[in-house]
Short mmCIF file of all heavy atoms in Angstrom, two decimals:
data_model
loop_
_atom_site.label_atom_id
_atom_site.label_comp_id
_atom_site.label_asym_id
_atom_site.label_seq_id
_atom_site.Cartn_x
_atom_site.Cartn_y
_atom_site.Cartn_z
N GLY P 112 21.88 -2.03 5.75
CA GLY P 112 22.03 -1.54 7.11
C GLY P 112 20.69 -1.28 7.79
O GLY P 112 19.62 -1.61 7.27
N TYR P 113 20.76 -0.66 8.96
CA TYR P 113 19.57 -0.43 9.77
C TYR P 113 18.88 0.90 9.47
O TYR P 113 17.90 1.25 10.12
CB TYR P 113 19.95 -0.46 11.26
CG TYR P 113 20.25 -1.84 11.78
CD1 TYR P 113 21.53 -2.35 11.73
CD2 TYR P 113 19.24 -2.63 12.30
CE1 TYR P 113 21.82 -3.63 12.20
CE2 TYR P 113 19.51 -3.91 12.77
CZ TYR P 113 20.81 -4.40 12.72
OH TYR P 113 21.07 -5.66 13.17
N GLY P 114 19.37 1.64 8.51
CA GLY P 114 18.84 2.96 8.25
C GLY P 114 17.66 2.96 7.29
O GLY P 114 16.97 1.95 7.08
N PHE P 115 17.49 4.11 6.66
CA PHE P 115 16.33 4.35 5.79
C PHE P 115 16.35 3.46 4.55
O PHE P 115 15.29 3.03 4.07
CB PHE P 115 16.32 5.83 5.39
CG PHE P 115 15.22 6.20 4.44
CD1 PHE P 115 13.93 6.41 4.90
CD2 PHE P 115 15.48 6.33 3.09
CE1 PHE P 115 12.91 6.74 4.02
CE2 PHE P 115 14.47 6.67 2.21
CZ PHE P 115 13.19 6.88 2.67
N ALA P 116 17.53 3.18 4.01
CA ALA P 116 17.63 2.45 2.75
C ALA P 116 17.01 1.06 2.82
O ALA P 116 16.34 0.62 1.88
CB ALA P 116 19.09 2.35 2.31
N SER P 117 17.21 0.36 3.92
CA SER P 117 16.65 -1.00 4.04
C SER P 117 15.13 -0.96 4.11
O SER P 117 14.45 -1.84 3.57
CB SER P 117 17.22 -1.70 5.27
OG SER P 117 16.91 -1.00 6.46
N LYS P 118 14.56 0.04 4.76
CA LYS P 118 13.09 0.17 4.83
C LYS P 118 12.53 0.54 3.46
O LYS P 118 11.45 0.08 3.07
CB LYS P 118 12.69 1.22 5.86
CG LYS P 118 13.42 1.10 7.19
CD LYS P 118 13.34 -0.29 7.77
CE LYS P 118 14.22 -0.41 9.00
NZ LYS P 118 15.67 -0.25 8.76
N LEU P 119 13.27 1.38 2.73
CA LEU P 119 12.86 1.73 1.38
C LEU P 119 12.84 0.49 0.49
O LEU P 119 11.90 0.27 -0.29
CB LEU P 119 13.82 2.78 0.82
CG LEU P 119 13.59 3.22 -0.63
CD1 LEU P 119 12.25 3.92 -0.77
CD2 LEU P 119 14.72 4.13 -1.09
N ALA P 120 13.88 -0.34 0.59
CA ALA P 120 13.95 -1.56 -0.21
C ALA P 120 12.82 -2.53 0.15
O ALA P 120 12.21 -3.14 -0.73
CB ALA P 120 15.31 -2.23 -0.02
N SER P 121 12.53 -2.67 1.44
CA SER P 121 11.46 -3.57 1.87
C SER P 121 10.10 -3.08 1.37
O SER P 121 9.29 -3.87 0.86
CB SER P 121 11.45 -3.67 3.40
OG SER P 121 10.39 -4.49 3.85
N THR P 122 9.85 -1.79 1.47
CA THR P 122 8.59 -1.23 0.98
C THR P 122 8.47 -1.41 -0.52
O THR P 122 7.40 -1.76 -1.04
CB THR P 122 8.52 0.26 1.35
OG1 THR P 122 8.70 0.42 2.75
CG2 THR P 122 7.18 0.84 0.95
N PHE P 123 9.55 -1.18 -1.23
CA PHE P 123 9.56 -1.34 -2.68
C PHE P 123 9.23 -2.77 -3.08
O PHE P 123 8.42 -3.00 -4.00
CB PHE P 123 10.94 -0.94 -3.21
CG PHE P 123 11.09 -1.14 -4.69
CD1 PHE P 123 10.71 -0.15 -5.58
CD2 PHE P 123 11.65 -2.31 -5.19
CE1 PHE P 123 10.85 -0.34 -6.95
CE2 PHE P 123 11.80 -2.50 -6.56
CZ PHE P 123 11.40 -1.51 -7.44
N LEU P 124 9.82 -3.74 -2.41
CA LEU P 124 9.59 -5.14 -2.75
C LEU P 124 8.12 -5.53 -2.57
O LEU P 124 7.57 -6.28 -3.38
CB LEU P 124 10.48 -6.05 -1.89
CG LEU P 124 11.96 -6.13 -2.27
CD1 LEU P 124 12.70 -6.99 -1.27
CD2 LEU P 124 12.13 -6.69 -3.68
N PHE P 125 7.49 -5.04 -1.53
CA PHE P 125 6.10 -5.40 -1.27
C PHE P 125 5.15 -4.77 -2.30
O PHE P 125 4.15 -5.38 -2.66
CB PHE P 125 5.71 -4.96 0.14
CG PHE P 125 6.00 -5.98 1.19
CD1 PHE P 125 7.28 -6.14 1.68
CD2 PHE P 125 5.00 -6.78 1.71
CE1 PHE P 125 7.56 -7.08 2.66
CE2 PHE P 125 5.26 -7.72 2.69
CZ PHE P 125 6.55 -7.88 3.17
N ALA P 126 5.44 -3.55 -2.74
CA ALA P 126 4.49 -2.81 -3.57
C ALA P 126 4.78 -2.91 -5.06
O ALA P 126 3.94 -2.50 -5.88
CB ALA P 126 4.48 -1.33 -3.15
N PHE P 127 5.92 -3.44 -5.45
CA PHE P 127 6.36 -3.39 -6.85
C PHE P 127 5.53 -4.28 -7.76
O PHE P 127 5.04 -3.84 -8.81
CB PHE P 127 7.85 -3.78 -6.91
CG PHE P 127 8.40 -3.89 -8.29
CD1 PHE P 127 8.60 -2.76 -9.06
CD2 PHE P 127 8.74 -5.13 -8.83
CE1 PHE P 127 9.12 -2.85 -10.35
CE2 PHE P 127 9.26 -5.23 -10.10
CZ PHE P 127 9.46 -4.09 -10.86
N PHE P 128 5.33 -5.53 -7.39
CA PHE P 128 4.71 -6.50 -8.28
C PHE P 128 3.27 -6.14 -8.67
O PHE P 128 2.91 -6.28 -9.86
CB PHE P 128 4.75 -7.89 -7.65
CG PHE P 128 4.33 -9.00 -8.58
CD1 PHE P 128 5.15 -9.41 -9.61
CD2 PHE P 128 3.11 -9.63 -8.41
CE1 PHE P 128 4.76 -10.43 -10.48
CE2 PHE P 128 2.71 -10.64 -9.26
CZ PHE P 128 3.54 -11.04 -10.30
N PRO P 129 2.40 -5.70 -7.76
CA PRO P 129 1.05 -5.32 -8.19
C PRO P 129 1.03 -4.23 -9.24
O PRO P 129 0.17 -4.22 -10.13
CB PRO P 129 0.38 -4.87 -6.89
CG PRO P 129 1.14 -5.53 -5.81
CD PRO P 129 2.55 -5.60 -6.30
N VAL P 130 1.98 -3.29 -9.16
CA VAL P 130 2.03 -2.22 -10.16
C VAL P 130 2.43 -2.78 -11.52
O VAL P 130 1.88 -2.40 -12.55
CB VAL P 130 3.01 -1.11 -9.70
CG1 VAL P 130 3.06 0.01 -10.74
CG2 VAL P 130 2.59 -0.55 -8.36
N VAL P 131 3.40 -3.69 -11.53
CA VAL P 131 3.82 -4.31 -12.80
C VAL P 131 2.66 -5.05 -13.44
O VAL P 131 2.37 -4.89 -14.64
CB VAL P 131 5.01 -5.26 -12.56
CG1 VAL P 131 5.37 -5.99 -13.86
CG2 VAL P 131 6.22 -4.50 -12.06
N VAL P 132 1.98 -5.88 -12.67
CA VAL P 132 0.87 -6.68 -13.20
C VAL P 132 -0.27 -5.78 -13.68
O VAL P 132 -0.86 -6.00 -14.75
CB VAL P 132 0.38 -7.67 -12.14
CG1 VAL P 132 -0.88 -8.39 -12.61
CG2 VAL P 132 1.47 -8.68 -11.82
N ALA P 133 -0.59 -4.73 -12.90
CA ALA P 133 -1.66 -3.83 -13.29
C ALA P 133 -1.31 -3.08 -14.57
O ALA P 133 -2.17 -2.88 -15.44
CB ALA P 133 -1.94 -2.84 -12.16
N THR P 134 -0.06 -2.66 -14.70
CA THR P 134 0.35 -1.96 -15.91
C THR P 134 0.28 -2.89 -17.12
O THR P 134 -0.22 -2.50 -18.20
CB THR P 134 1.79 -1.43 -15.75
OG1 THR P 134 1.85 -0.57 -14.62
CG2 THR P 134 2.21 -0.65 -16.99
N LEU P 135 0.75 -4.12 -16.98
CA LEU P 135 0.68 -5.08 -18.07
C LEU P 135 -0.77 -5.38 -18.46
O LEU P 135 -1.11 -5.41 -19.64
CB LEU P 135 1.38 -6.37 -17.67
CG LEU P 135 2.90 -6.42 -17.84
CD1 LEU P 135 3.45 -7.69 -17.24
CD2 LEU P 135 3.28 -6.31 -19.30
N GLY P 136 -1.61 -5.59 -17.45
CA GLY P 136 -3.01 -5.87 -17.74
C GLY P 136 -3.70 -4.72 -18.44
O GLY P 136 -4.51 -4.92 -19.34
N GLY P 137 -3.37 -3.51 -18.01
CA GLY P 137 -3.97 -2.35 -18.65
C GLY P 137 -3.52 -2.18 -20.08
O GLY P 137 -4.32 -1.86 -20.98
N MET P 138 -2.21 -2.39 -20.33
CA MET P 138 -1.70 -2.27 -21.69
C MET P 138 -2.32 -3.31 -22.62
O MET P 138 -2.50 -3.05 -23.81
CB MET P 138 -0.18 -2.42 -21.67
CG MET P 138 0.56 -1.25 -21.06
SD MET P 138 0.44 0.23 -22.09
CE MET P 138 1.40 1.38 -21.11
N ALA P 139 -2.60 -4.47 -22.07
CA ALA P 139 -3.19 -5.54 -22.90
C ALA P 139 -4.70 -5.38 -23.04
O ALA P 139 -5.33 -6.17 -23.77
CB ALA P 139 -2.88 -6.91 -22.29
N ASN P 140 -5.27 -4.38 -22.39
CA ASN P 140 -6.72 -4.21 -22.38
C ASN P 140 -7.20 -3.24 -23.44
O ASN P 140 -8.33 -2.78 -23.39
CB ASN P 140 -7.16 -3.71 -20.99
CG ASN P 140 -8.64 -3.93 -20.75
OD1 ASN P 140 -9.20 -4.92 -21.22
ND2 ASN P 140 -9.26 -3.01 -20.03
N VAL P 141 -6.34 -2.90 -24.39
CA VAL P 141 -6.74 -1.96 -25.46
C VAL P 141 -7.76 -2.64 -26.37
O VAL P 141 -7.51 -3.74 -26.89
CB VAL P 141 -5.51 -1.52 -26.27
CG1 VAL P 141 -5.92 -0.60 -27.41
CG2 VAL P 141 -4.51 -0.83 -25.37
N PRO P 142 -8.92 -2.03 -26.58
CA PRO P 142 -9.92 -2.62 -27.48
C PRO P 142 -9.36 -2.79 -28.89
O PRO P 142 -8.71 -1.88 -29.42
CB PRO P 142 -11.08 -1.61 -27.45
CG PRO P 142 -10.90 -0.86 -26.17
CD PRO P 142 -9.42 -0.80 -25.94
N ILE P 143 -9.62 -3.94 -29.49
CA ILE P 143 -9.07 -4.23 -30.81
C ILE P 143 -9.62 -3.26 -31.86
O ILE P 143 -8.89 -2.82 -32.76
CB ILE P 143 -9.40 -5.69 -31.20
CG1 ILE P 143 -8.72 -6.66 -30.22
CG2 ILE P 143 -8.94 -5.98 -32.63
CD1 ILE P 143 -9.04 -8.12 -30.50
N ASN P 144 -10.90 -2.91 -31.74
CA ASN P 144 -11.48 -2.02 -32.75
C ASN P 144 -10.83 -0.64 -32.73
O ASN P 144 -10.60 -0.03 -33.79
CB ASN P 144 -12.99 -1.91 -32.53
CG ASN P 144 -13.34 -1.32 -31.17
OD1 ASN P 144 -12.72 -1.68 -30.17
ND2 ASN P 144 -14.31 -0.43 -31.14
N LEU P 145 -10.50 -0.14 -31.54
CA LEU P 145 -9.83 1.15 -31.47
C LEU P 145 -8.40 1.07 -32.00
O LEU P 145 -7.90 1.99 -32.65
CB LEU P 145 -9.83 1.67 -30.03
CG LEU P 145 -11.19 2.09 -29.46
CD1 LEU P 145 -11.02 2.60 -28.04
CD2 LEU P 145 -11.82 3.15 -30.33
N ASP P 146 -7.72 -0.05 -31.71
CA ASP P 146 -6.37 -0.22 -32.21
C ASP P 146 -6.37 -0.25 -33.74
O ASP P 146 -5.52 0.37 -34.41
CB ASP P 146 -5.77 -1.50 -31.64
CG ASP P 146 -4.28 -1.62 -31.93
OD1 ASP P 146 -3.56 -0.60 -31.77
OD2 ASP P 146 -3.83 -2.70 -32.31
N GLU P 147 -7.32 -0.98 -34.31
CA GLU P 147 -7.43 -1.02 -35.77
C GLU P 147 -7.79 0.34 -36.34
O GLU P 147 -7.33 0.72 -37.43
CB GLU P 147 -8.48 -2.05 -36.18
CG GLU P 147 -8.09 -3.50 -35.86
CD GLU P 147 -9.19 -4.48 -36.17
OE1 GLU P 147 -10.34 -4.01 -36.40
OE2 GLU P 147 -8.93 -5.69 -36.16
N HIS P 148 -8.61 1.10 -35.62
CA HIS P 148 -8.98 2.43 -36.06
C HIS P 148 -7.76 3.35 -36.11
O HIS P 148 -7.58 4.12 -37.07
CB HIS P 148 -10.05 3.00 -35.13
CG HIS P 148 -10.55 4.34 -35.54
ND1 HIS P 148 -11.25 4.57 -36.72
CD2 HIS P 148 -10.44 5.57 -34.94
CE1 HIS P 148 -11.56 5.84 -36.82
NE2 HIS P 148 -11.08 6.48 -35.75
N PHE P 149 -6.90 3.27 -35.09
CA PHE P 149 -5.69 4.08 -35.08
C PHE P 149 -4.75 3.68 -36.22
O PHE P 149 -4.11 4.54 -36.85
CB PHE P 149 -4.97 3.93 -33.73
CG PHE P 149 -5.40 4.94 -32.70
CD1 PHE P 149 -6.68 4.93 -32.18
CD2 PHE P 149 -4.51 5.91 -32.26
CE1 PHE P 149 -7.07 5.85 -31.23
CE2 PHE P 149 -4.89 6.85 -31.32
CZ PHE P 149 -6.18 6.82 -30.79
N HIS P 150 -4.68 2.39 -36.48
CA HIS P 150 -3.86 1.93 -37.61
C HIS P 150 -4.41 2.48 -38.93
O HIS P 150 -3.64 2.91 -39.81
CB HIS P 150 -3.84 0.39 -37.66
CG HIS P 150 -2.80 -0.23 -36.80
ND1 HIS P 150 -1.46 -0.21 -37.12
CD2 HIS P 150 -2.89 -0.89 -35.62
CE1 HIS P 150 -0.77 -0.83 -36.19
NE2 HIS P 150 -1.62 -1.26 -35.26
N ALA P 151 -5.72 2.46 -39.08
CA ALA P 151 -6.34 2.94 -40.32
C ALA P 151 -6.09 4.43 -40.52
O ALA P 151 -5.98 4.91 -41.66
CB ALA P 151 -7.84 2.65 -40.30
N LEU P 152 -5.98 5.17 -39.42
CA LEU P 152 -5.72 6.61 -39.51
C LEU P 152 -4.24 6.91 -39.73
O LEU P 152 -3.87 8.08 -39.88
CB LEU P 152 -6.20 7.31 -38.23
CG LEU P 152 -7.71 7.34 -38.01
CD1 LEU P 152 -8.03 7.96 -36.66
CD2 LEU P 152 -8.41 8.11 -39.13
N GLY P 153 -3.41 5.88 -39.73
CA GLY P 153 -1.99 6.08 -39.95
C GLY P 153 -1.26 6.63 -38.74
O GLY P 153 -0.22 7.31 -38.90
N ALA P 154 -1.76 6.37 -37.53
CA ALA P 154 -1.12 6.88 -36.32
C ALA P 154 0.21 6.19 -36.11
O ALA P 154 0.37 4.99 -36.38
CB ALA P 154 -2.02 6.65 -35.11
N SER P 155 1.17 6.94 -35.64
CA SER P 155 2.49 6.38 -35.35
C SER P 155 2.41 5.50 -34.09
O SER P 155 1.43 5.52 -33.35
CB SER P 155 3.51 7.49 -35.15
OG SER P 155 3.19 8.27 -34.00
N ARG P 156 3.49 4.75 -33.88
CA ARG P 156 3.52 3.89 -32.70
C ARG P 156 3.46 4.71 -31.42
O ARG P 156 2.83 4.31 -30.44
CB ARG P 156 4.79 3.04 -32.73
CG ARG P 156 4.85 2.00 -31.60
CD ARG P 156 6.01 1.05 -31.79
NE ARG P 156 6.00 0.02 -30.76
CZ ARG P 156 6.89 -0.97 -30.71
NH1 ARG P 156 7.83 -1.07 -31.64
NH2 ARG P 156 6.83 -1.87 -29.74
N TRP P 157 4.14 5.88 -31.43
CA TRP P 157 4.10 6.74 -30.25
C TRP P 157 2.69 7.27 -30.02
O TRP P 157 2.23 7.32 -28.88
CB TRP P 157 5.09 7.89 -30.41
CG TRP P 157 4.95 8.95 -29.35
CD1 TRP P 157 4.41 10.18 -29.49
CD2 TRP P 157 5.34 8.84 -27.98
NE1 TRP P 157 4.45 10.87 -28.31
CE2 TRP P 157 5.01 10.06 -27.36
CE3 TRP P 157 5.93 7.82 -27.22
CZ2 TRP P 157 5.26 10.30 -26.01
CZ3 TRP P 157 6.17 8.05 -25.87
CH2 TRP P 157 5.84 9.27 -25.29
N ASP P 158 1.98 7.68 -31.07
CA ASP P 158 0.61 8.17 -30.91
C ASP P 158 -0.31 7.08 -30.39
O ASP P 158 -1.17 7.34 -29.54
CB ASP P 158 0.09 8.71 -32.25
CG ASP P 158 0.69 10.05 -32.62
OD1 ASP P 158 1.07 10.79 -31.68
OD2 ASP P 158 0.80 10.36 -33.81
N ARG P 159 -0.13 5.86 -30.90
CA ARG P 159 -0.96 4.77 -30.40
C ARG P 159 -0.68 4.50 -28.94
O ARG P 159 -1.60 4.22 -28.16
CB ARG P 159 -0.72 3.49 -31.23
CG ARG P 159 -1.16 3.58 -32.68
CD ARG P 159 -1.36 2.22 -33.30
NE ARG P 159 -0.22 1.34 -33.09
CZ ARG P 159 0.83 1.28 -33.92
NH1 ARG P 159 0.88 2.07 -34.99
NH2 ARG P 159 1.82 0.45 -33.68
N PHE P 160 0.60 4.59 -28.56
CA PHE P 160 0.95 4.34 -27.17
C PHE P 160 0.39 5.42 -26.27
O PHE P 160 -0.25 5.12 -25.23
CB PHE P 160 2.48 4.26 -27.03
CG PHE P 160 2.96 4.16 -25.60
CD1 PHE P 160 2.87 2.97 -24.91
CD2 PHE P 160 3.47 5.28 -24.95
CE1 PHE P 160 3.29 2.88 -23.59
CE2 PHE P 160 3.91 5.20 -23.64
CZ PHE P 160 3.82 4.00 -22.95
N TRP P 161 0.64 6.68 -26.58
CA TRP P 161 0.30 7.79 -25.69
C TRP P 161 -1.20 8.11 -25.70
O TRP P 161 -1.78 8.45 -24.67
CB TRP P 161 1.12 9.01 -26.07
CG TRP P 161 0.95 10.15 -25.13
CD1 TRP P 161 0.34 11.35 -25.37
CD2 TRP P 161 1.38 10.20 -23.77
NE1 TRP P 161 0.37 12.14 -24.25
CE2 TRP P 161 1.01 11.46 -23.25
CE3 TRP P 161 2.06 9.29 -22.94
CZ2 TRP P 161 1.27 11.83 -21.94
CZ3 TRP P 161 2.32 9.67 -21.64
CH2 TRP P 161 1.94 10.92 -21.15
N ARG P 162 -1.83 8.02 -26.88
CA ARG P 162 -3.23 8.45 -27.00
C ARG P 162 -4.24 7.31 -26.86
O ARG P 162 -5.43 7.56 -26.67
CB ARG P 162 -3.45 9.16 -28.33
CG ARG P 162 -2.63 10.42 -28.50
CD ARG P 162 -2.87 11.07 -29.85
NE ARG P 162 -2.05 12.25 -30.03
CZ ARG P 162 -2.39 13.48 -29.62
NH1 ARG P 162 -3.54 13.67 -29.02
NH2 ARG P 162 -1.57 14.49 -29.82
N LEU P 163 -3.77 6.07 -26.96
CA LEU P 163 -4.69 4.93 -26.86
C LEU P 163 -4.33 3.99 -25.72
O LEU P 163 -5.16 3.73 -24.84
CB LEU P 163 -4.71 4.16 -28.19
CG LEU P 163 -5.57 2.89 -28.21
CD1 LEU P 163 -7.02 3.23 -27.93
CD2 LEU P 163 -5.41 2.17 -29.53
N GLN P 164 -3.09 3.49 -25.73
CA GLN P 164 -2.73 2.47 -24.75
C GLN P 164 -2.66 3.02 -23.33
O GLN P 164 -3.12 2.38 -22.39
CB GLN P 164 -1.39 1.84 -25.13
CG GLN P 164 -1.45 1.01 -26.40
CD GLN P 164 -0.10 0.42 -26.77
OE1 GLN P 164 0.95 0.96 -26.42
NE2 GLN P 164 -0.11 -0.68 -27.50
N VAL P 165 -2.10 4.22 -23.16
CA VAL P 165 -2.00 4.79 -21.82
C VAL P 165 -3.38 5.06 -21.22
O VAL P 165 -3.67 4.66 -20.08
CB VAL P 165 -1.13 6.06 -21.84
CG1 VAL P 165 -1.23 6.79 -20.50
CG2 VAL P 165 0.32 5.69 -22.12
N PRO P 166 -4.30 5.77 -21.93
CA PRO P 166 -5.65 5.95 -21.35
C PRO P 166 -6.37 4.64 -21.07
O PRO P 166 -7.08 4.51 -20.07
CB PRO P 166 -6.38 6.78 -22.42
CG PRO P 166 -5.31 7.48 -23.17
CD PRO P 166 -4.16 6.52 -23.19
#
Side-chain angles (χ1 to χ4, degrees):
Y113 287 90
F115 177 80
S117 60
K118 313 308 173 295
L119 177 65
S121 178
T122 305
F123 176 87
L124 284 176
F125 272 79
F127 175 71
F128 189 73
V130 180
V131 175
V132 173
T134 303
L135 277 173
M138 288 291 180
N140 198 34
V141 178
I143 297 178
N144 61 318
L145 291 181
D146 190 44
E147 293 175 347
H148 183 65
F149 270 67
H150 274 286
L152 292 175
S155 65
R156 186 172 184 178
W157 171 254
D158 285 333
R159 294 200 309 272
F160 173 77
W161 186 249
R162 298 179 182 273
L163 176 61
Q164 292 179 334
V165 170

